[in-house]
Amino acid sequence: MLKISNLSSGYNGTEVLRGISLDIDEPAIYVVLGPNGAGKTTMFRTVAGVLDPMSGTVELGGKNLYSANEVRRDIGYLTHLSALPEEMTVAKALGFYAGIEDGDAQKAMESLGLNDLAARKVSSLSQGQRKRAAIAKLFLRDRKMYLMDEPTSNLDPVVAKEVRDILLRLSKEKYVMYSSHNLYEAQEIGDYIVLLKDGRLGFFGKKDQLRTGEYRVGIKASGDLSKLFPEATHEKEYLVMRVKGPREVGELVKKMVNAGVVVYEVKELGNPLEDLFDRGS
């Protein structure tokens, strides 16, 4: 579906991306990871056709993105900005773009649970509501690929989960590229990992192909947990558990609640994707 070949891109003659090549051919969530300045946003802008490459090509469905303008209509791109007019209501703003794209604003609002906000001005929305409205803009029409640049950044946990659930449903049939600084999130929902470091491709492949470190969580709770978790260790005020992944964290919490333990805090102490940032491979 998406073929990136020896792609270099940047700004004002300065390269940010350097010789990126990868093929995406399976509907899934492709999490793009990398430290600040690694080139994540630059790659998204280039793949979306917003930024012209310095060299290399991007093909979608076998067509060159930069020589066939209609191909760009098949890519939905969520930037850091909401891109909705502040003084319009949600319904009018989405209706405006639906008219341009021959899309369906009502269907998009329903899919994101925005009907109750339809008459509200965009300027009056909370950060989470704005994010949902911005994502709805992508769903005005059917697309082949969705690029989402940190869609859950600065969202409260409830709204962030709603966004992740939308992406998981979407990825069953569509191609989703999704950048994030949240390593927990990447471990939880990512099917594939695209690691960028210093503008170069450090790793591309299935998440389970990575040889990574351990996943550790720290727990603060009422009572003595040593009998409940005899294998646990202690670090400062935390009881530390080693688990295979985020899904096991929920099982730990459930076990404590069923035992009548009051859980005060569950904190990520070590994510197996962290060492990727250090070694870049």
Side-chain angles (χ1 to χ4, degrees):
M1 173 57 64
L2 180 71
K3 183 179 181 65
I4 299 175
S5 303
N6 199 30
L7 182 68
S8 293
S9 186
Y11 310 90
N12 301 319
T14 301
E15 277 190 337
V16 176
L17 288 183
R18 301 176 178 88
I20 300 292
S21 294
L22 58 88
D23 288 351
I24 288 177
D25 56 11
E26 176 186 358
I29 293 180
Y30 298 78
V31 180
V32 182
L33 294 174
N36 289 330
K40 301 187 296 297
T41 296
T42 300
M43 186 172 81
F44 276 33
R45 288 174 177 169
T46 308
V47 171
V50 175
L51 185 65
D52 289 335
M54 293 178 174
S55 61
T57 59
V58 177
E59 294 180 1
L60 187 69
K63 295 181 179 179
N64 191 309
L65 182 70
Y66 306 106
S67 61
N69 288 334
E70 72 276 6
V71 176
R72 302 185 191 189
R73 286 172 52 84
D74 289 329
I75 299 176
Y77 176 33
L78 178 71
T79 69
H80 292 130
L81 304 175
S82 69
L84 295 175
E86 292 282 310
E87 294 307 308
M88 278 189 174
T89 64
V90 172
K92 287 184 177 180
L94 292 174
F96 171 75
Y97 286 107
I100 294 174
E101 298 192 22
D102 192 23
D104 187 336
Q106 185 58 43
K107 183 178 179 181
M109 285 192 292
E110 288 174 359
S111 68
L112 272 295
L114 292 171
N115 284 337
D116 290 345
L117 303 176
R120 292 265 304 272
K121 285 188 176 182
V122 173
S123 59
S124 72
L125 302 181
S126 69
Q127 198 167 39
Q129 291 167 341
R130 286 188 186 211
K131 185 73 74 171
R132 292 214 315 272
I135 294 174
K137 182 171 175 284
L138 300 187
F139 294 165
L140 290 172
R141 58 183 299 274
D142 191 45
R143 306 177 196 273
K144 294 179 179 177
M145 172 157 283
Y146 295 83
L147 307 175
M148 298 191 174
D149 200 354
E150 299 184 16
T152 61
S153 64
N154 301 317
L155 296 184
D156 67 62
V158 173
V159 178
K161 184 181 184 304
E162 290 177 359
V163 172
R164 287 195 295 271
D165 289 344
I166 290 168
L167 299 184
L168 286 169
R169 292 195 300 269
L170 191 65
S171 67
K172 293 178 180 180
E173 298 179 353
K174 302 294 183 179
Y175 302 78
V176 180
M177 291 188 75
Y178 168 24
S179 74
S180 178
H181 284 294
N182 188 329
L183 298 179
Y184 178 98
E185 203 169 60
Q187 183 80 352
E188 182 181 23
I189 72 169
D191 300 300
Y192 289 82
I193 300 295
V194 179
L195 175 68
L196 297 179
K197 187 173 182 182
D198 297 327
R200 300 185 185 280
L201 186 66
F203 174 86
F204 172 54
K206 286 192 173 182
K207 180 176 59 183
D208 57 13
Q209 293 174 340
L210 292 170
R211 294 181 179 179
T212 58
E214 63 187 3
Y215 189 96
R216 300 185 306 131
V217 292
I219 300 168
K220 285 184 183 180
S222 66
D224 182 7
L225 298 179
S226 59
K227 291 183 180 180
L228 202 58
F229 304 114
E231 71 278 18
T233 59
H234 286 85
E235 292 183 16
K236 297 182 179 179
E237 69 269 36
Y238 291 102
L239 182 84
V240 179
M241 295 289 294
R242 289 165 172 79
V243 296
K244 294 180 181 179
R247 295 183 187 278
E248 287 192 9
V249 177
E251 296 173 7
L252 293 178
V253 173
K254 183 178 180 180
K255 186 175 182 179
M256 287 186 284
V257 171
N258 289 341
V261 174
V262 178
V263 181
Y264 301 134
E265 182 182 2
V266 178
K267 180 180 180 181
E268 178 184 325
L269 297 179
N271 189 300
L273 297 179
E274 286 177 344
D275 59 348
L276 294 178
F277 283 9
D278 296 326
R279 72 172 186 258
S281 62

